[in-house]
Amino acid sequence: MTQKFETRIIHSLVKVFPDEELQAAGPVKGSALLNEVFSYQIAFRAQHLMPAVKVKLESKLEEWITVRSIGLVPSELPIYHDHDEDVLRATPGLYPDPLIPLTDGVVRGYPGQWRSLWITVDPKNQVEPGLYPIVIQFETESGEKLAEERFDLEIIGAHLPQQQLVHTQWFHTDCLATQYQTGVFSEKHWGLLEQYIQTAVDHGINMLLTPIFTPPLDTEVGGERPTVQLVDVEVTGENEYRFGFDRLKRWVDLCEKCGIKYFEFSHLFTQWGAKHAPKIMAKVNGEMQRIFGWETDASGEAYHAFLNQLLPQLVNWIRENGIENRSYFHISDEPTLDDIEFYASAQRIVKELLSDFPVIDALSDYDFYEKGLVQTPIPASNHIEPFLEHEVTPLWTYYCCSQYKKVANRFFCMPSARNRILGYQLYKYNAAGFLHWGYNFWYKQYSKGVIDPFRVTDAGGGFPSGDAFLVYPGEQGPIESIRMEVMREALQDMRALRLLEAWIGRDAVLAALDEGLDEEITFSSYPRDASWLLSKREWMNSKIKEHIGKSSVSS
């Protein structure tokens, strides 16, 4: 007979669907380092409708604990038709993803539906090592106790090292202004920018797409995205310009305040081929006008003259502001071999002007690198083999909507283990950087219209749900997602491996990762079950504890 109210502790890699039986039961204990964020879940199910179930927390860690409810959002396009078998389901419906704050401390129990709480512990290096019980109680509105679950978290007296990986998830400045209906670079917009940048940094993003001009990304040919331009331009004569960098200065200062270390300046040519200039607005005879865009031949004299004046001044500004060792440039996103001549032309235009800076671009054809057209290629994870075979360094990779067979990704319909395994892969291949295009893309595909991210999660049927954004636009600021928290766990795993490497050596760590597996870990071959990931992390933590113990004895 079904109980009136059931609860069950589960680990962070389970996705709880309301319309299926809960199979997984997680451990009732776990461990984390002093500066590590640890998450787990408590699933609950009511026999009948319970509009207000009180949630109470008791723990010495209480001030470092956040309890959120996992919301459900619709997906009309969970995955493409020819997907592999490593998905939870491929049907349209409601999927668990947004982490909704419990502002009033209550949750709703739906009849016969499993739902879940997301428990996050962030000790911020402010607690003593030790074992800490965490007790979550559920009560009726009248105070009747419905259930209680206890989780024991061990805080280990060691620190994750600083993240070495350069990590960017493209930040869409215009989407914030559109979604919150605020003027671009108004004071309200700057406040929102700070909130969303800080949330990104807190989750391991340390590089930010910086829109010196409106980024020419996911825009239909001939279409426009709202203007978000950090560099002021004034036309002073025929093919002559004056530039201002005050807004860019404010942007960089804000980013550094939040903890951003690296800046990637937006693409200097259009996506998918570098055939045109991005949209550039300028003051012409006292009025703002678009002076370059889709109508501009990228290799033409006018745009060439513009870049010849802009880039030296921008480079000087970068040096004057002390970010020359942390600045990256883009030419064009995702060119193919059909575009190689256009890309080569664009590269020739800026090569000497940007000779002291790395140029990074997402592209998957090795020919671009072999011909010396891109200094730091960023191949997709399912096209990375030629770059590995030729030992390209620094090694970067990315995934997006096209990487849905065999390799890691973060779609709603995929198990969270397929998201978290990336940390082990990036460590094994000593990756220098990881890029994703969608931190907060809240438009339809090709930027053809605005969406409500709580109702439309697939860019209007353009990309599988989970590809276009990691955060949702809450009334008070960013609402994080399961996928964002799991990605942070992946990055923490990577950092823990670095810590272990410093003590036992890289060869020993790599051997331990592949131990017992039929095939060694690659970007397309890896353990598919969450239990392997969790047990391997616990093994890492036990080795870290051993080292701490040896260090204390020797001292």
Side-chain angles (χ1 to χ4, degrees), residues 296-494:
T296 306
D297 180 356
S299 60
E301 180 181 344
Y303 191 53
H304 195 170
F306 177 83
L307 291 177
N308 275 336
Q309 294 171 66
L310 166 70
L311 293 179
Q313 293 188 45
L314 178 60
V315 165
N316 287 338
W317 184 91
I318 288 170
R319 291 195 173 108
E320 289 169 1
N321 285 271
I323 60 171
E324 64 269 27
N325 296 322
R326 298 180 283 130
S327 295
Y328 296 70
F329 283 86
H330 288 288
I331 291 177
S332 175
D333 186 48
E334 294 185 321
T336 67
L337 282 178
D338 292 339
D339 309 313
I340 197 165
E341 292 305 319
F342 295 100
Y343 190 94
S345 173
Q347 189 258 3
R348 285 193 294 270
I349 291 172
V350 302
K351 183 178 180 180
E352 295 303 320
L353 298 171
L354 299 177
S355 58
D356 294 335
F357 296 89
V359 173
I360 58 174
D361 272 322
L363 48 84
S364 293
D365 292 298
Y366 182 74
D367 295 48
F368 283 85
Y369 180 75
E370 189 175 42
K371 294 179 184 296
L373 299 179
V374 61
Q375 179 182 354
T376 305
I378 308 179
S381 55
N382 62 336
H383 294 288
I384 200 171
E385 284 77 12
F387 298 85
L388 294 174
E389 291 169 6
H390 290 89
E391 299 181 348
V392 172
T393 55
L395 179 70
W396 283 59
T397 190
Y398 80 99
Y399 58 62
C400 62
C401 61
S402 298
Q403 286 64 55
Y404 63 96
K405 292 182 181 180
K406 295 185 178 181
V407 296
N409 213 314
R410 68 186 204 191
F411 299 164
F412 285 5
C413 68
M414 292 178 173
S416 285
R418 191 165 176 174
N419 183 351
R420 186 164 170 177
I421 191 65
L422 184 69
Y424 291 83
Q425 295 168 325
L426 293 174
Y427 170 80
K428 176 171 181 177
Y429 289 99
N430 207 22
F434 179 77
L435 176 149
H436 194 285
W437 77 279
Y439 176 69
N440 64 320
F441 184 76
W442 298 323
Y443 295 150
K444 295 179 182 178
Q445 187 181 20
Y446 303 126
S447 303
K448 288 185 175 182
V450 183
I451 56 123
D452 176 353
F454 292 97
R455 296 177 180 270
V456 179
T457 58
D458 53 17
F463 316 112
S465 296
D467 185 47
F469 57 84
L470 277 178
V471 287
Y472 295 80
E475 291 184 8
Q476 305 304 316
I479 289 180
E480 297 157 17
S481 65
I482 290 175
R483 296 165 298 114
M484 191 175 198
E485 293 290 350
V486 171
M487 182 64 180
R488 172 161 60 183
E489 291 179 335
L491 298 174
Q492 291 179 158
D493 291 342
M494 183 182 59

Side-chain angles (χ1 to χ4, degrees), residues 73-115:
V73 285
S75 172
E76 293 188 70
L77 177 60
I79 192 73
Y80 300 123
H81 73 282
D82 57 341
H83 60 86
D84 61 25
E85 296 181 354
D86 192 20
V87 296
L88 299 172
R89 53 173 66 180
T91 52
L94 294 175
Y95 284 74
D97 194 54
L99 300 176
I100 310 299
L102 290 186
T103 53
D104 52 3
V106 301
V107 293
R108 180 180 292 267
Y110 292 88
Q113 297 182 29
W114 281 107
R115 297 297 178 94

